[in-house]
C-alpha cells in the first residue's frame, strides 16, 4: 500500500479554509465572536505556527506524557511521600494548586471559541488541540491533590478556590474570566498565548519546577513540566496572530500587550513571587523571583516584542520598580492577614532576610522593619497566639486588579483615584487606572470586597468575613506554618519554640 509521507499531506489537512457560499464571511465569523480587527480571509491566509502537529501525533505524544505522570504519581505522589516534604514548601504547592487548575479549565473555553471562530483553519486546529491540553492541565492537579485532601483539608481549595468569594479568588476570577472566558480569539491569542504563556508561565512552570526539584518534590516538578511542554506548543498561536494584527491595527495590538502584560504581571507576582521568595525553603531556591523575571520576561519577552515591531509597555519603568517591591508588599500584607487565605505563611528569619537583602539590595531595607515589627508581636505573645500578629480590620482593594492596595513602598505609594459616572474608584497603580479608563464599560460595575461590605453584602467583622463570606474555617484558614515557633524568635525563654509542631 502506498502511504503518503507526512509532508505530502499535512498542509492539505491543516489548511482547510473554503469560500463560504450560503452565508458571507462576516456571518460565518462575526466580529464580536472572532475579534477585531475584522479582516477578510485573505489577510489570514499565510497564518502558520512552527509545531504543525497532526492529530495522530498529538494523541501519541499526550498518551506518553499521561503515562509518565501516572507512573510518577504511583511512585512518589502518595500521602506518605507528601509528609516527607518541607511544610513551608507545601504551601507553595497549595498556592499553585488553587489558582491554576480551574484557570486552565477556563482556558478550555477560550481555546474552544478560537477553535470555532479563529480566522484560519490551522489556527483553529491548533486551538482545538490547545483546548484538549488545557483540559489535561485542569485534570492532572485535581487528581494529584485530591489524594492529599484527607490528611490536609487546605488541599481541598484546589477545587474549591474559584467557587468562593475569598479575596484572592475574586481577583483571580476578575482576571481569568476576562482573559479566558470572555475574550475573543484575537484578544485570547495576544493576551493568553503571547503574553501569559510565552512569557509568564515560564516563571511558574520552568522556574518553580527547578525549585520543586531541589525541594525533593518530584511529583510537583513532573506536573509542571508535563504542562509546560503543552504550553510551549499552543503558545505559538500568539505570535502568528499578533503579526497579522500588528500589520492592520498596530495601536490595538499595542493596547492588548500593555493591558495583558500588566495584568499577568500582577497575577504572577502573587502566585510565583510568594512561592519563590518566601515559601520555598532557602536551600531549594535556585534564583530570586526578580532574577527569573529578568531572564524570562526582560530578555525574552522584549526580544519577542522587537521581532513583531511593538514597543515595550509605556509603564516599563514603573514595572521595573515594582519588580523590587510589589510582591514583597503583598507578601507582608498576606502574612499580616494570613487567616484570609487557604495556605499557611512563613515568617522570614535572619537567614531568609539576609538572602532577600542580598537579592533586593535597593528595596529590602524598607521591608525589614515590617518583619521586625511582626517578629516583635510574636515575641510579646509567645508561640501559638496567631491573632496578636494579625490585622483585624478589612483592607482596601484595587478597583481593577482586585488585589490589596499595596503598590509602591511604605514611603511612596502608587495608588491612583478616579471619578467615573459619579462613583469614586481607587487603583493600586497607574497601569491599573489606565486599563480601567480604557474600557470602563467592562469594569465599572464590579464591586470589590470593601464595596460589598459597605453595601451590606459581606460582613465587616473580619472573623465573620473569613468564615461566612470567604468560606474558610478553623482548619483551613492560613496560619503561621510553624505557629510562631522559631528558635531564632524565642531564644531562652521559650524552650518549646525549638520543638517542631506535630
Ligand atoms: Fe494550560
Ligand atoms: Fe495554555
Ligand atoms: Zn491594581
Amino acid at each position: 500500500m502506498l502511504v503518503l509521507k507526512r509532508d505530502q499531506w499535512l498542509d492539505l489537512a491543516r489548511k482547510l479554509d473554503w469560500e463560504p457560499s450560503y452565508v458571507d464571511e462576516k456571518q460565518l465569523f462575526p466580529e464580536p465572536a472572532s475579534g477585531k480587527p475584522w479582516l477578510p480571509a485573505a489577510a489570514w491566509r499565510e497564518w502558520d505556527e512552527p509545531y504543525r502537529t497532526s492529530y495522530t501525533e498529538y494523541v501519541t505524544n499526550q498518551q506518553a506524557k499521561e503515562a509518565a505522570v501516572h507512573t510518577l504519581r504511583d511512585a512518589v505522589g502518595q500521602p506518605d511521600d507528601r509528609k516527607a516534604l518541607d511544610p513551608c514548601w507545601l504551601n507553595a504547592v497549595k498556592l499553585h494548586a488553587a489558582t491554576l487548575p480551574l484557570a486552565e479549565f477556563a482556558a478550555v473555553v477560550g481555546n474552544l471559541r478560537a477553535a470555532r471562530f479563529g480566522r484560519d483553519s490551522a489556527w483553529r486546529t491548533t486551538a482545538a488541540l490547545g483546548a484538549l491540553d488545557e483540559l489535561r492541565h485542569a485534570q492532572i492537579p485535581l487528581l494529584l491533590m485530591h489524594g492529599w485532601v484527607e490528611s490536609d483539608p487546605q488541599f481541598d481549595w484546589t477545587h474549591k478556590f474559584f467557587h468562593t468569594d475569598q479575596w484572592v479568588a475574586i481577583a483571580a476570577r476578575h482576571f481569568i474570566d476576562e482573559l479566558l472566558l470572555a475574550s475573543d480569539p484575537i484578544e485570547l491569542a495576544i493576551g493568553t498565548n503571547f503574553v501569559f504563556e510565552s512569557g509568564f508561565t515560564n516563571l511558574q512552570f520552568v522556574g518553580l519546577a527547578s525549585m520543586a526539584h531541589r525541594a525533593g518534590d518530584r511529583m510537583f516538578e513532573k506536573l509542571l513540566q508535563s504542562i509546560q511542554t503543552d504550553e510551549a506548543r499552543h503558545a505559538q498561536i500568539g505570535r502568528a496572530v499578533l503579526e497579522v494584527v500588528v500589520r492592520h491595527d498596530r495601536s490595538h495590538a499595542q493596547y492588548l500587550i500593555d493591558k495583558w502584560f500588566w495584568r499577568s504581571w500582577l497575577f504572577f507576582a502573587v502566585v510565583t513571587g510568594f512561592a519563590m521568595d518566601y515559601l520555598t525553603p532557602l536551600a531549594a531556591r535556585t534564583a530570586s523571583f526578580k532574577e527569573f523575571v529578568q531572564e524570562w520576561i526582560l530578555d525574552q519577552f522584549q526580544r519577542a516584542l522587537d521581532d513583531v515591531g511593538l514597543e515595550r509597555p509605556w509603564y516599563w519603568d514603573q514595572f521595573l520598580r515594582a519588580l523590587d517591591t510589589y510582591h514583597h508588599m503583598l507578601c507582608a500584607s498576606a502574612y499580616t492577614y494570613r487567616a484570609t487565605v487557604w495556605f499557611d505563611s512563613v515568617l522570614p528569619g535572619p537567614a531568609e532576610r539576609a538572602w532577600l537583602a542580598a537579592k533586593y539590595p535597593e528595596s529590602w531595607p524598607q521591608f525589614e522593619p515590617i518583619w521586625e515589627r511582626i517578629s516583635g508581636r510574636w515575641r510579646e505573645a509567645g508561640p501559638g497566639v496567631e491573632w496578636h500578629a494579625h490585622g483585624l480590620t478589612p483592607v482596601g482593594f484595587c478597583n481593577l486588579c482586585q488585589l490589596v492596595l499595596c503598590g509602591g513602598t511604605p514611603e511612596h505609594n502608587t495608588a491612583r483615584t478616579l471619578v467615573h459616572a459619579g462613583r469614586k474608584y481607587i487603583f493600586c497603580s497607574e497601569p491599573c487606572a489606565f486599563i480601567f479608563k480604557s474600557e470602563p464599560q467592562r469594569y465599572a460595575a464590579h464591586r470589590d470586597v470593601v464595596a460589598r461590605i459597605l453595601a451590606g453584602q459581606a460582613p465587616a467583622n473580619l472573623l465573620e468575613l473569613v468564615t461566612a463570606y470567604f468560606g474558610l474555617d478553623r482548619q483551613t484558614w492560613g496560619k503561621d506554618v510553624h505557629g510562631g515557633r522559631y528558635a531564632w524568635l524565642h531564644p531562652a525563654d521559650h524552650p518549646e519554640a525549638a520543638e517542631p509542631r506535630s
Side-chain angles (χ1 to χ4, degrees), residues 262-263 266 326 397-407 426-433 435:
W262 187 254
R263 300 214 67 186
L266 297 177
Y326 181 66
F397 296 89
C398 172
N399 285 133
L400 192 280
C401 67
Q402 311 297 321
L403 292 165
V404 180
L405 279 171
C406 63
I426 185 158
F427 305 96
C428 70
S429 56
E430 199 182 347
C432 273
I435 297 167

Side-chain angles (χ1 to χ4, degrees), residues 30-272:
E31 187 179 308
S34 285
K36 73 167 190 174
W38 196 93
L39 304 167
W44 297 101
R45 200 160 289 147
E46 300 302 313
W47 195 97
D48 209 357
E49 49 81 28
Y51 280 77
R52 300 159 52 82
T53 312
S54 73
Y55 185 69
T56 315
E57 290 161 349
Y58 180 80
V59 172
T60 309
N61 288 339
Q62 299 304 97
Q63 200 278 336
K65 285 187 207 172
E66 275 295 281
V69 169
H70 284 270
T71 304
L72 208 67
R73 177 187 178 232
D74 293 342
V76 294
Q78 303 304 315
D80 279 348
D81 299 309
R82 182 179 60 78
K83 283 182 197 140
L85 298 170
D86 185 289
C88 209
W89 165 256
L90 283 175
N91 291 288
V93 178
K94 288 171 196 170
L95 181 53
H96 173 100
T99 47
L100 269 306
L102 265 61
E104 308 261 25
F105 187 75
V108 176
V109 177
N111 274 285
L112 286 177
R113 184 178 291 120
R116 162 62 182 87
F117 290 104
R119 294 300 312 282
D120 173 82
S121 53
W123 172 5
R124 294 195 293 276
T125 302
T126 312
L129 302 183
L132 293 172
D133 289 341
E134 302 299 3
L135 193 56
R136 202 174 80 87
H137 303 173
Q139 287 175 336
I140 301 173
L142 286 172
L143 173 74
L144 295 177
M145 305 302 158
H146 183 258
W148 296 357
V149 173
E150 201 175 350
S151 53
D152 186 341
Q154 287 183 326
F155 278 107
D156 194 27
W157 277 65
T158 306
H159 190 273
K160 183 174 174 174
F161 174 75
F162 270 102
H163 299 292
T164 71
D165 279 322
Q166 189 273 345
W167 66 271
V168 186
I170 291 175
R173 270 204 305 274
H174 193 279
F175 169 60
I176 293 297
D177 284 4
E178 183 186 1
L179 178 65
L180 300 172
L181 293 180
S183 66
D184 59 59
I186 289 178
E187 185 157 2
L188 181 85
I190 297 175
T192 305
N193 300 131
F194 187 80
V195 176
F196 192 89
E197 294 178 334
S198 306
F200 286 97
T201 50
N202 288 311
L203 297 173
Q204 186 80 359
F205 291 85
V206 180
L208 198 68
S210 68
M211 298 197 194
H213 181 80
R214 293 260 286 256
D217 194 348
R218 286 182 60 212
M219 188 68 261
F220 191 62
E221 180 192 7
K222 185 76 191 173
L223 174 154
L224 293 171
Q225 287 171 345
S226 184
I227 290 176
Q228 178 60 22
T229 52
D230 294 351
E231 301 294 355
R233 173 169 34 72
H234 61 241
Q236 297 299 326
I237 294 173
R239 166 94 182 244
V241 171
L242 188 57
E243 281 172 355
V244 178
V245 176
V246 168
R247 243 176 272 140
H248 294 90
D249 190 347
R250 195 172 181 282
S251 69
H252 184 56
Q254 185 72 52
Y255 171 68
L256 293 179
I257 293 286
D258 293 357
K259 167 186 176 180
W260 289 113
F261 184 89
W262 187 254
R263 300 214 67 186
S264 302
W265 149 248
L266 297 177
F267 181 83
F268 281 94
V270 175
V271 177
T272 319

